[in-house]
Amino acid sequence: MKIRKFFVGIQFEVNRSDLRKFRWTNHPESELKDGQIKIFIDKFGFSSNNVTYANLGNSFGYWNFFPVDNVWGIIPTWGFGTVIESNHKEISLGERFYGYYPTASHLVLEPGKVRPTGFSDTKEHRTKLPSAYNFYYNTTRDEFYTKESEDFQLIYRPLFTTSFLLESYLLENQFFTAKDVLITSASSKTAIALAYLLKLNREKNHFSFKIHALTSNRNLSLVQSLGYYDKVKCYEDLGSFDKSDICVVDFSGNEKIQSEIKLHFGSHHKHLCLVGMVHWEEQAQDQKESQGVLFFAPAEIKKKSKQWGLAGFQEKLVHSFGAYAKDSSTWMKYKNLDFSSSFENVYLETLEGKFPAELGAILSNS
């Protein structure tokens, strides 16, 4: 059974060795195998987080989720999709799922065991990839889902999960003996959510640590206006920070910035946690060059699910996510755009760090 949406599917592919090169490809409709479903990708979010997926595509296997070849790749996104064709007896036309999607019009999946909450894709190439990226959540049973918050979910659900895990990781390790926290690329959405969570925890538990920010001149006013950071400075003013014992959470991936921070703080530089690659062209060629510890969210999800129990982890995350959705609604806005006609510009602006930090890009197929 099928619902007609596209006779020819489209997808956006980037050159794996030169992210500024891209192409559109068409894919004629093909018959599904037994047990497969075809999903029309209604809409997805795009941010600097997706640029990080591209930069870590080889080392962390992100190109392997929706493989093309050794030259071209598809950047993964988080989105909502509707079943338009089903050869699976337990999945019906019109069912809607949140999950990991390509920058494309549709996706063919092979669901494994179908639960009320959703299913995992069991295509052979995905079975060796992190399970956190393979599950598709049925919106009718998804604890995170509300119709009104779809755009917020598309931008912040994966990012906030990383922020949530990061906050727990930092507190669990007592900031690696540091007194304060310094966050780079402080206007990035994952960084902002982390600052929000740290500030909330500090107020709740009467902690004394400070949350400091480094950002660009362009985003200085926004970052200052949030009220999550204690001190906000441009990269050029790094030298004006007091030399307290510091734990650095780096979202920039910029080796030069990492080195300058270490030089300024000297023996007070206690830990460098590597999270993102907003400044992707200035990243260290070898992780060892940064002398930092790479934070990998899927590994932390496993750890916390074991520590708190899966239900406990989900409950804590959902509650925290809902609170942040309300808090961020005062400054977070969304730009809804057509995928086929607007994505090239969104992609290039995000790649160059020029897409407004206070906006969330939502791309829809029509």
Side-chain angles (χ1 to χ4, degrees):
M1 295 178 65
K2 65 177 68 176
I3 301 173
R4 290 285 181 185
K5 279 280 187 179
F6 272 96
F7 290 99
V8 177
I10 58 170
Q11 64 187 33
F12 182 88
E13 302 170 2
V14 300
N15 188 296
R16 292 167 54 162
S17 60
D18 184 353
L19 297 181
R20 288 190 178 85
K21 294 180 180 178
F22 55 82
R23 68 182 186 183
W24 292 90
T25 57
N26 295 329
H27 295 271
E29 190 174 41
S30 58
E31 293 297 319
L32 296 182
K33 299 176 183 177
D34 286 344
Q36 290 187 334
I37 63 172
K38 181 179 289 184
I39 289 187
F40 174 76
I41 303 168
D42 300 318
K43 55 183 179 178
F44 63 84
F46 199 84
S47 70
S48 59
N49 181 55
N50 302 94
V51 174
T52 298
Y53 288 154
N55 277 288
L56 295 176
N58 291 321
S59 56
F60 277 73
Y62 288 114
W63 297 129
N64 299 333
F65 283 92
F66 312 110
V68 181
D69 55 39
N70 291 329
V71 177
W72 296 95
I74 297 176
I75 300 175
T77 68
W78 294 90
F80 289 105
T82 301
V83 178
I84 59 170
E85 187 175 351
S86 178
N87 269 355
H88 195 292
K89 61 183 180 181
E90 296 181 76
I91 296 179
S92 304
L93 297 181
E95 290 194 80
R96 204 151 178 261
F97 294 90
Y98 169 86
Y100 218 37
Y101 290 104
T103 49
S105 59
H106 70 273
L107 175 65
V108 173
L109 298 171
E110 293 182 9
K113 181 179 179 180
V114 178
R115 300 175 175 85
T117 52
F119 62 86
S120 289
D121 184 23
T122 60
K123 277 190 173 181
E124 186 177 353
H125 72 274
R126 291 186 69 165
T127 57
K128 297 178 182 178
L129 299 170
S131 58
Y133 296 119
N134 288 338
F135 197 81
Y136 290 81
Y137 296 83
N138 192 313
T139 58
T140 62
R141 298 293 294 272
D142 184 1
E143 292 178 280
F144 286 90
Y145 182 78
T146 65
K147 179 68 176 175
E148 298 74 27
S149 68
E150 278 193 2
D151 289 351
F152 178 77
Q153 292 175 66
L154 290 179
I155 296 298
Y156 257 115
R157 184 164 170 176
L159 305 184
F160 187 85
T161 300
T162 298
S163 304
F164 178 82
L165 293 165
L166 256 174
E167 186 232 11
S168 177
Y169 167 79
L170 293 172
L171 290 170
E172 189 177 76
N173 288 283
Q174 299 180 322
F175 300 113
F176 300 90
T177 73
K179 181 181 177 181
D180 301 320
V181 180
L182 175 63
I183 299 175
T184 69
S185 291
S187 67
S188 68
K189 294 174 178 63
T190 315
I192 292 172
L194 172 62
Y196 159 81
L197 289 168
L198 287 170
K199 183 174 184 286
L200 200 65
N201 196 298
R202 182 178 66 184
E203 293 171 351
K204 179 181 178 182
N205 294 292
H206 306 290
F207 291 142
S208 60
F209 63 84
K210 300 294 184 184
I211 308 159
H212 301 320
L214 277 174
T215 189
S216 65
N217 275 301
R218 181 176 62 252
N219 294 316
L220 184 64
S221 295
L222 168 67
V223 177
Q224 288 174 328
S225 71
L226 297 172
Y228 301 152
Y229 297 100
D230 295 295
K231 288 183 181 178
V232 180
K233 296 183 183 292
C234 296
Y235 291 108
E236 296 83 354
D237 297 326
L238 166 64
S240 63
F241 273 117
D242 295 334
K243 293 184 179 181
S244 62
D245 289 351
I246 204 82
C247 173
V248 181
V249 183
D250 181 56
F251 290 92
S252 74
N254 188 321
E255 183 186 4
K256 184 173 181 289
I257 290 173
Q258 293 167 7
S259 298
E260 289 175 351
I261 292 172
K262 188 166 187 178
L263 181 64
H264 172 70
F265 286 97
S267 62
H268 295 285
H269 186 286
K270 299 300 181 182
H271 185 76
L272 172 59
C273 180
L274 305 170
V275 187
M277 289 185 175
V278 175
H279 302 182
W280 57 278
E281 290 189 293
E282 288 81 27
Q283 64 181 291
Q285 295 303 307
D286 188 323
Q287 184 192 335
K288 295 178 182 177
E289 293 178 24
S290 68
Q291 299 180 352
V293 177
L294 191 64
F295 182 83
F296 187 51
E300 283 296 310
I301 290 174
K302 277 189 176 182
K303 180 180 176 181
K304 291 303 174 187
S305 295
K306 186 175 181 180
Q307 183 179 336
W308 297 335
L310 187 58
F313 170 74
Q314 194 79 350
E315 182 181 353
K316 289 175 187 285
L317 180 58
V318 169
H319 175 77
S320 190
F321 184 75
Y324 184 59
K326 292 179 182 178
D327 197 273
S328 64
S329 64
T330 59
W331 61 269
M332 184 70 185
K333 308 301 178 188
Y334 304 95
K335 195 168 185 177
N336 289 272
L337 300 160
D338 177 70
F339 170 55
S340 62
S341 62
S342 301
F343 186 65
E344 287 183 18
N345 288 335
V346 171
Y347 172 68
L348 290 173
E349 285 184 21
T350 306
L351 196 65
E352 302 295 344
K354 295 179 179 178
F355 196 85
E358 70 276 15
L359 288 180
I362 308 296
L363 286 305
S364 300
N365 283 301
S366 54

